[in-house]
Amino acid sequence: MARGGLAHLLATLLLFVLLATSLAVGASEAEADLTPAAPAQGVSEAAAAEPDADAQQHLLPRPLVIELPSARAAEEPDPDADVDDVPTDVRCASWRLAAEANNLAPWKAVPPECAQHVRDYVTSAAYRSDLELVARESAAYARAALPLGDDGRDAWVFDVDETLLSNLPYYAEHGYGAELFDHHKFDEWVERGEAAAIPSSLKLYNEVRELGFKTFLLTGRSEGHRGVTVENLNKQGFHDWEKLILRTAGDRKKTATVYKSEKRKETEEEGYRILGNSGDQWSDLLGSSMSARSFKLPNPMYYIP
């Protein structure tokens, strides 16, 4: 160690020793000052026990501890609190989460008090951000799971409505899911061929194809809407799928879960390996012949069993 550094260290140690000595002496004097003296002759013990004003000035105050009511309330929730006291928007956010997580019993329409909440969500940046997150995670998986072989048999299945194409203009006219679903009115909307592409899904669709996956579009639309569906998809930038599968007359009475499971099984029987599946309904993803990995897009407007 250099001489200058050693001198600095010694000076620092000396300063600490002097400071410690000073504190010790001060503490001893304070203790002596606080030690009660024997009462003088002729002075009662009660009078002697009363500290004078000067002594009181040198006594340190007791620490003041304040317990805030809000902190206590947070630690001790009120067992009698009524769920009706929760703000409507909070209750509806809970309802939407339960719907997305498939924790609700089959439901037919958005609760009336939650229609505004659903509207605000599906028309907000939050909905677009959620869609984009699903697409990013799907693309990351697709890149990691690159086609396993050179036989061209690695497949990715896509639903169409609220997965590739958005029907928000239709639902804006029907309460964003607060109205009971009307097949006839929806068919009229489909026949207009005006559904817009979901931008993040279009990007994912093209990337999956470029990676070498064969794409299968599996929709609940009827075979009678094939022409307008193909035209709508092409107009929005979707091209070169391997197969577009629609419901035939024999599929009409089947639940979406059964119908789509059967179509995936047929795809596997043709020699394809389904590595990915994207859909906005759990019935797009669950059942049999499931893909190696499935991706659920958000949709709080309707439920299809």
Side-chain angles (χ1 to χ4, degrees):
M1 180 181 294
R3 290 184 178 180
L6 180 59
H8 178 71
L9 176 61
L10 292 174
T12 302
L13 291 174
L14 179 60
L15 178 62
F16 275 116
V17 170
L18 292 174
L19 179 61
T21 302
S22 176
L23 291 174
V25 171
S28 299
E29 292 177 352
E31 182 178 358
D33 291 340
L34 295 176
T35 302
Q41 185 175 4
V43 179
S44 67
E45 292 185 3
E50 295 180 359
D52 58 23
D54 292 337
Q56 288 182 346
Q57 291 179 355
H58 292 288
L59 292 177
L60 295 176
R62 294 179 59 191
L64 179 62
V65 178
I66 301 176
E67 184 175 1
L68 298 177
S70 58
R72 178 178 295 180
E75 295 176 359
E76 302 175 5
D78 183 1
D80 298 325
D82 193 340
V83 70
D84 291 336
D85 294 336
V86 177
T88 300
D89 196 56
V90 173
R91 291 202 310 272
C92 291
S94 297
W95 177 89
R96 178 167 60 85
L97 175 62
E100 295 291 4
N102 204 25
N103 288 334
L104 296 179
W107 51 279
K108 295 182 178 181
V110 173
E113 65 272 20
C114 295
Q116 183 65 40
H117 173 85
V118 171
R119 174 193 178 279
D120 291 344
Y121 170 69
V122 297
T123 58
S124 72
Y127 177 56
R128 295 190 296 273
S129 178
D130 290 345
L131 290 169
E132 290 167 0
L133 177 59
V134 176
R136 287 197 302 271
E137 291 299 316
S138 302
Y141 164 74
R143 290 190 292 270
L146 286 174
L148 301 176
D150 298 328
D151 57 2
R153 293 289 174 174
D154 293 299
W156 196 292
V157 177
F158 287 94
D159 173 52
V160 172
D161 293 303
E162 270 59 65
T163 299
L164 297 181
L165 298 177
S166 171
N167 298 298
L168 271 180
Y170 170 81
Y171 285 99
E173 296 178 358
H174 297 278
Y176 292 95
E179 294 182 11
L180 290 176
F181 184 72
D182 188 315
H183 288 279
H184 297 295
K185 290 181 180 180
F186 185 72
D187 286 348
E188 291 174 358
W189 158 256
V190 168
E191 289 163 5
R192 290 164 58 179
E194 298 176 358
I198 295 175
S200 53
S201 293
L202 177 58
K203 182 179 179 181
L204 171 65
Y205 176 87
N206 288 328
E207 182 169 354
V208 164
R209 285 193 59 259
E210 291 170 0
L211 289 171
F213 289 90
K214 293 294 190 298
T215 52
F216 288 77
L217 310 190
L218 178 52
T219 176
R221 294 186 178 193
S222 66
E223 186 65 41
H225 289 138
R226 177 176 292 274
V228 70
T229 299
V230 169
E231 182 179 351
N232 195 166
L233 286 165
N234 286 338
K235 185 170 64 175
Q236 294 300 320
F238 297 98
H239 304 280
D240 301 321
W241 51 78
E242 188 70 12
K243 185 181 290 188
L244 171 61
I245 305 170
L246 301 97
R247 280 183 185 263
T248 63
D251 299 318
R252 289 177 183 171
K253 294 184 179 181
K254 298 174 183 176
T255 64
T257 303
V258 171
Y259 156 66
K260 294 198 171 188
S261 293
E262 291 177 352
K263 297 306 177 184
R264 289 195 301 267
K265 182 178 180 180
E266 291 174 8
T267 301
E268 290 179 333
E269 290 173 347
E270 292 173 4
Y272 290 95
R273 296 176 291 272
I274 304 176
L275 300 186
N277 187 7
S278 300
D280 66 290
Q281 298 291 314
W282 286 103
S283 53
D284 297 330
L285 312 173
L286 301 180
S288 59
S289 297
M290 294 170 59
S291 63
R293 180 78 185 273
S294 298
F295 295 90
K296 169 74 169 63
L297 283 72
N299 180 4
M301 296 183 294
Y302 58 85
Y303 171 85
I304 300 176

